[in-house]
Amino acid sequence: SVLEPYTGDALLLFAQDGDASLLFRYLAPLGGFVLVQSVPTTDAGKLSTFLASGSAFVLVTQRTDDTSLMLRLNGTHLQELQTKSFMPTSAAGGQRFASTFAAATSTWEFDGEHMLLLANAKNCSSPNPHGAQLDATGCSRTGAWSSLRKRLDQETIEMARPADAAMSPDGRFLYVAAYDSQMIAGFVREVATGRLHPKREASLRNVAAEPDREDPYSPQFGRFDKRTLEGVTALAMSGDGRFLYAAS
């Protein structure tokens, strides 16, 4: 079970064999749960949930895959890794972890940090550990390892009221327009995983913060000539990736 951090809505995720697990949301007017998503998983086993940075996360073990999944609830759906198909509407923040026939998982908070434990049921490493007998999968139950991980918050980037985003054609760079911050934030993107890394030299912003004024719709004459990113609302990347266009 998962509680949506902002609305408090109750959700249920059923881990199951096959290529999908099912996510249900409770709807008070109907007095019951309704199916909202078929989550891609591979023979899902154990689940563990935790809250961090204002988001709900679910860890899913996969018994017949060499990875386990950490999914983030974006408010309506569970998302894994960033892809171009859903990045315009949600930054996923999910992740994959190496595992071998993962049999159990647990998450907990210690001294303000979130810890994650994955326990594997088999050892599929090569060469064969200690001459152990192998099963039909080519693995043994001798020397099966577990992994302990710690969640790290990435660098905080000031992006008050993000309005639009644009990605380079090769998927290696992402730019986000922040209306209230009066800036364009630049990121380097790992194509294989979708992870973002701030690239300050690729970020643009107005030199000074805009002073408060009583009437925001009556700017002083000539002010927009000096503050080109004030009210930035839209971004577009040229087809060859050489130019980034902004509307403000």
Side-chain angles (χ1 to χ4, degrees):
S1 64
V2 184
L3 285 179
E4 210 288 318
Y6 296 103
T7 65
D9 290 350
L11 298 101
L12 291 177
L13 177 64
F14 290 89
Q16 58 186 20
D17 293 338
D19 58 3
S21 295
L22 302 179
L23 179 68
F24 293 82
R25 179 185 292 269
Y26 182 80
L27 294 182
L30 299 179
F33 286 87
V34 296
L35 178 66
V36 294
Q37 183 184 6
S38 178
V39 184
T41 56
T42 303
D43 293 330
K46 302 296 184 180
L47 303 175
S48 184
T49 64
F50 65 94
L51 298 177
S53 303
S55 294
F57 294 86
V58 180
L59 186 64
V60 184
T61 64
Q62 301 189 122
R63 296 190 302 274
T64 58
D65 195 83
D66 58 1
T67 61
S68 292
L69 303 176
M70 184 178 73
L71 310 173
R72 185 185 75 86
L73 181 67
N74 70 0
T76 58
H77 292 71
L78 286 170
Q79 301 283 17
E80 185 204 330
L81 302 178
Q82 291 93 338
T83 67
K84 293 181 180 179
S85 63
F86 68 78
M87 279 193 71
T89 57
S90 172
Q95 194 172 351
R96 283 182 178 265
F97 301 108
S99 61
T100 307
F101 294 90
T105 183
S106 180
T107 56
W108 67 93
E109 185 175 352
F110 175 75
D111 197 22
E113 296 181 319
H114 289 89
M115 311 299 291
L116 178 155
L117 179 66
L118 273 174
N120 296 303
K122 297 183 180 182
N123 188 340
C124 299
S125 62
S126 180
N128 180 17
H130 311 297
Q133 183 177 0
L134 304 182
D135 61 15
T137 63
C139 305
S140 75
R141 295 186 180 275
T142 301
W145 52 272
S146 298
S147 60
L148 178 65
R149 291 177 167 87
K150 179 173 67 174
R151 182 183 180 275
L152 298 177
D153 284 322
Q154 296 182 345
E155 181 181 357
T156 300
I157 303 298
E158 179 191 352
M159 290 193 303
R161 196 178 172 188
D164 197 11
M167 186 183 294
S168 61
D170 59 7
R172 294 177 55 240
F173 299 95
L174 178 73
Y175 301 90
V176 180
Y179 184 93
D180 286 351
S181 295
Q182 303 178 19
M183 68 174 296
I184 299 173
F187 299 86
V188 175
R189 178 176 178 269
E190 296 181 15
V191 177
T193 65
R195 293 185 183 179
L196 299 177
H197 304 279
K199 188 174 179 63
R200 295 192 178 277
E201 58 268 32
S203 299
L204 301 171
R205 66 178 306 150
N206 283 327
V207 177
E210 176 62 27
D212 294 334
R213 59 182 187 271
E214 294 182 357
D215 186 359
Y217 301 102
S218 299
Q220 297 177 1
F221 177 76
R223 186 147 142 301
F224 286 122
D225 294 336
K226 299 178 182 180
R227 308 185 63 82
T228 55
L229 289 179
E230 182 176 12
V232 59
T233 56
L235 294 178
M237 177 72 68
S238 62
D240 57 8
R242 296 177 57 197
F243 300 98
L244 178 67
Y245 303 95
S248 62

